[in-house]
Amino acid sequence: MAGPRKADPQHRLRRILVHSTGNAKGQQAARAKRLAKATEDLDKLERSAGGRYYNTAAKVEARIGVIAKTRRVTNCLHTTVTTDPDGRPTLTWYFDQDVLDTEAAADGWYALVTSLTPEQADAAEVLKRYKGQGVVERRYNDFKGPLAVAPIFLEHNRRIAALITVICLALLVFCLIERQVRQALGPEQTMAGLYPDNRKVRPTGRMILYQLDSLMLRPGTATSPPTILISRGVEAHLLELLGIDETRPRWLET
């Protein structure tokens, strides 16, 4: 016989409503596009009702269902299909303006749920942390991309801890390279030469390492020091932004 069930701990959550003018404009444009496409399809069906392809009420209603689903106007579309004494169908339709107004009133609004108390973070701080999630998630992607971290089997916890330490150090260096280049570029933080079309973009760690991947080091001799061999202008620009002198590599003993 089972004993008394332990009560689940209670969690108090805050819900913060946020309005984004950018999201609102995007939702308004998307809705206008859907309605325009649906209007075009319904007008065409209205003209074709009773003709060769839509000569029965069932065919007209079936086509209405396809249009409503494809154009995502099911909740606001009202249609009436009638037939004359000869059995020829006719269609009338309209969009429910009250439904559209209700949708428009919610444009741009979304909710953030957090366990942080007002003393720990006000509404602005919660939004700031939410907006920063993209940076964290991008670094998770870096684990699987430029750092090429693959699954590995480890037997001991100390080896797991050591592997995580090495990965985090590699990610730290990766992020510092990206940060150094962007700061050296100034407020705009964009540069040309990273893509074939030469457009200006914000350099990422992945782009920087890709461009520097073809660099070669010429070993030094008794009469000449080691030198970094540069074959493209973007390589020289990146090394300059990173504060590296190609004529004075750090590995002088090479």
Side-chain angles (χ1 to χ4, degrees):
M1 181 176 179
R5 181 178 177 180
K6 184 178 179 181
D8 294 331
Q10 293 184 353
H11 298 280
R12 298 180 62 87
L13 301 176
R14 295 166 60 202
R15 181 178 62 182
I16 299 173
L17 297 179
V18 182
H19 184 267
S20 168
T21 55
N23 289 351
K25 291 180 180 178
Q27 292 167 350
Q28 291 168 5
R31 182 168 51 256
K33 184 177 180 180
R34 287 190 290 108
L35 294 177
K37 291 289 187 179
T39 299
E40 181 181 351
D41 293 342
L42 290 166
D43 284 343
K44 182 178 179 180
L45 178 60
E46 186 176 1
R47 294 190 300 267
S48 302
R52 177 181 177 185
Y53 297 104
Y54 303 103
N55 51 13
T56 65
K59 290 182 179 180
V60 174
E61 290 175 352
R63 179 57 182 166
I64 291 172
V66 172
I67 295 173
K69 181 178 180 181
T70 303
R71 303 305 182 188
R72 294 176 293 165
V73 293
T74 304
N75 60 334
C76 65
L77 176 60
H78 293 270
T79 61
T80 302
V81 179
T82 58
T83 55
D84 61 16
D86 296 329
R88 296 181 59 183
T90 58
L91 167 66
T92 57
W93 64 272
Y94 67 93
F95 292 130
D96 191 329
Q97 190 60 45
D98 290 337
V99 174
L100 295 178
D101 291 342
T102 301
E103 290 183 358
D107 286 346
W109 289 98
Y110 60 93
L112 299 179
V113 178
T114 179
S115 60
L116 297 174
T117 65
E119 291 75 19
Q120 294 173 315
D122 59 11
E125 178 64 21
V126 172
L127 178 61
K128 180 180 177 181
R129 296 191 185 190
Y130 169 74
K131 291 295 185 180
Q133 285 183 346
V135 177
V136 178
E137 292 172 356
R138 187 159 66 90
R139 295 313 178 191
Y140 284 131
N141 182 65
D142 292 335
F143 274 129
K144 303 175 183 179
L147 298 182
V149 178
I152 186 171
F153 178 77
L154 299 172
E155 295 183 359
H156 305 292
N157 289 340
R158 65 177 182 274
R159 293 186 177 181
I160 296 174
L163 176 62
I164 293 175
T165 300
V166 172
I167 293 173
C168 290
L169 288 174
L171 182 61
L172 175 61
V173 174
F174 182 84
C175 298
L176 288 175
I177 291 174
E178 178 183 295
R179 179 175 179 268
Q180 171 67 23
V181 170
R182 289 187 178 183
Q183 287 189 339
L185 287 171
E188 188 177 354
Q189 294 190 354
T190 60
M191 65 175 290
L194 297 174
Y195 283 105
D197 58 4
N198 213 36
R199 67 180 185 272
K200 285 191 172 184
V201 295
R202 295 184 69 188
T204 64
R206 181 192 293 264
M207 294 179 187
I208 296 168
L209 294 183
Y210 175 81
Q211 295 295 338
L212 297 179
D213 183 61
S214 59
L215 286 177
M216 298 183 65
L217 179 66
R218 182 178 65 192
T221 64
T223 58
S224 62
T227 305
I228 299 175
L229 302 179
I230 298 175
S231 58
R232 293 176 298 154
V234 66
E235 296 173 344
H237 189 195
L238 288 172
L239 291 179
E240 180 183 359
L241 294 173
L242 290 169
I244 298 175
D245 184 357
E246 65 273 12
T247 63
R248 297 179 57 84
R250 294 186 180 183
W251 302 280
L252 298 179
E253 69 278 4
T254 303

